[in-house]
């Protein structure tokens, strides 16, 4: 597997994002809502770098099914989201690919009545977006490769890697043979 973004580069960029977000939301009631499961590691790191008080929540959304890199239909579970009345929401996800997940989630979260909804993504894949959608904060723009690590998975594997790696078709084939 090829390292795409190192642990050091992720940490450095995370600190910059946290400072930016911290100054934008200073003295505002902020709730960060992470999209399970891919955003867990990013959420845990960002929240500890954020220099302002804030709350944390999660929701569940999944579009990939098992051993495929093609998105299926989106399933959303809002049951874990805390009360957002009187709160500014920053929806946090691992990666913006086609844009379908985040644009749908923004609409769903707005229904819950927060003061505002903005978005932060660690990664944005270039040349893949099928929905017009601009994230408010973005860590890195990356080429159109399937990436794993730092929370992102292939078939629920590789989330634990502390860096981001590109998965090429050979890696996928190797993984398939291993889990058979
Ligand atoms: P979108 O709806 O196409 O923007 O897809 C976003 C979701 O797909 C992300 O939250 C990820 O869970 C997943 N995803 C998209 N690209 C990748 C990738 O390269 N590696 C791992 N997960 C991905
Ligand atoms: Mg996801």
């Amino acid at each position: 597997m090829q390292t795409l973004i190192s642990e050091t580069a992720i940490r450095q960029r995370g600190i910059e994002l946290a400072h930016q977000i911290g100054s934008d939301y200073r003295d505002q009631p902020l709730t960060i809502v992470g999209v399970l499961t891919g955003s867990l590691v990013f959420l845990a790191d960002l929240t500890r770098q954020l220099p302002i008080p804030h709350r944390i929540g999660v929701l569940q959304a999944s579009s990939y099914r098992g051993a495929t890199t093609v998105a299926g239909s989106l399933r959303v579970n809002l049951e874990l989201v805390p009360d957002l009345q009187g709160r500014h929401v920053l929806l946090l996800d691992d990666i913006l690919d086609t844009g379908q997940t985040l644009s749908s989630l923004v609409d769903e979260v707005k229904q819950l009545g927060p003061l505002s909804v903005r978005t932060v993504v660690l990664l944005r894949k270039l040349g893949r977006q099928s929905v017009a959608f601009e994230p408010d904060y973005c860590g890195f723009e990356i080429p159109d490769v399937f990436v794993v690590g730092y929370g992102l998975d292939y078939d629920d594997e590789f989330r634990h890697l502390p860096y981001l790696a590109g998965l090429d078709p050979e890696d996928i084939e190797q993984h398939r043979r291993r889990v058979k």
Side-chain angles (χ1 to χ4, degrees):
M1 265 189 265
Q2 286 283 108
T3 300
L4 191 70
I5 305 176
S6 71
E7 206 178 339
T8 315
I10 297 171
R11 189 180 312 116
Q12 187 49 45
R13 185 70 185 120
I15 292 170
E16 288 170 12
L17 281 176
H19 280 263
Q20 179 70 56
I21 293 165
S23 69
D24 292 352
Y25 285 95
R26 189 164 306 284
D27 301 324
Q28 305 288 328
L30 174 65
T31 301
I32 298 187
V33 177
V35 180
L36 293 177
T37 305
S39 75
L40 268 182
V41 180
F42 181 38
L43 176 64
D45 279 348
L46 191 84
T47 191
R48 286 175 296 171
Q49 299 292 353
L50 202 56
I52 54 166
H54 59 282
R55 296 181 187 169
I56 299 173
V58 289
L59 60 75
Q60 210 176 8
S62 49
S63 49
Y64 285 109
R65 295 280 164 276
T68 172
T69 55
V70 181
S73 62
L74 184 68
R75 281 204 259 162
V76 179
N77 176 3
L78 298 174
E79 274 167 36
L80 298 169
V81 178
D83 185 9
L84 300 177
Q85 301 285 329
R87 314 284 306 170
H88 292 286
V89 171
L90 187 58
L91 252 178
L92 176 146
D93 205 357
D94 50 3
I95 184 165
L96 184 76
D97 184 23
T98 64
Q100 268 159 21
T101 304
L102 267 183
S103 65
S104 309
L105 290 179
V106 166
D107 291 342
E108 300 240 13
V109 170
K110 278 184 179 161
Q111 307 284 318
L112 304 175
L115 294 174
S116 71
V117 182
R118 293 168 90 189
T119 56
V120 54
V121 291
L122 176 68
L123 305 171
R124 177 184 201 166
K125 240 188 242 184
L126 294 176
R128 288 275 304 167
Q129 258 182 266
S130 61
V131 177
F133 181 86
E134 284 301 308
D136 296 284
Y137 306 92
C138 173
F140 302 93
E141 294 188 331
I142 60 164
D144 183 8
V145 286
F146 198 81
V147 289
V148 295
Y150 200 71
L152 289 97
D153 75 304
Y154 170 73
D155 197 16
D156 256 328
E157 305 270 0
F158 310 113
R159 293 193 198 275
H160 56 86
L161 298 176
Y163 53 89
L164 284 152
L167 207 60
D168 60 34
E170 265 168 49
D171 297 322
I172 292 176
E173 197 39 54
Q174 241 181 36
H175 171 78
R176 285 215 176 107
R177 277 200 297 270
R178 198 157 51 79
V179 298
K180 245 182 208 160

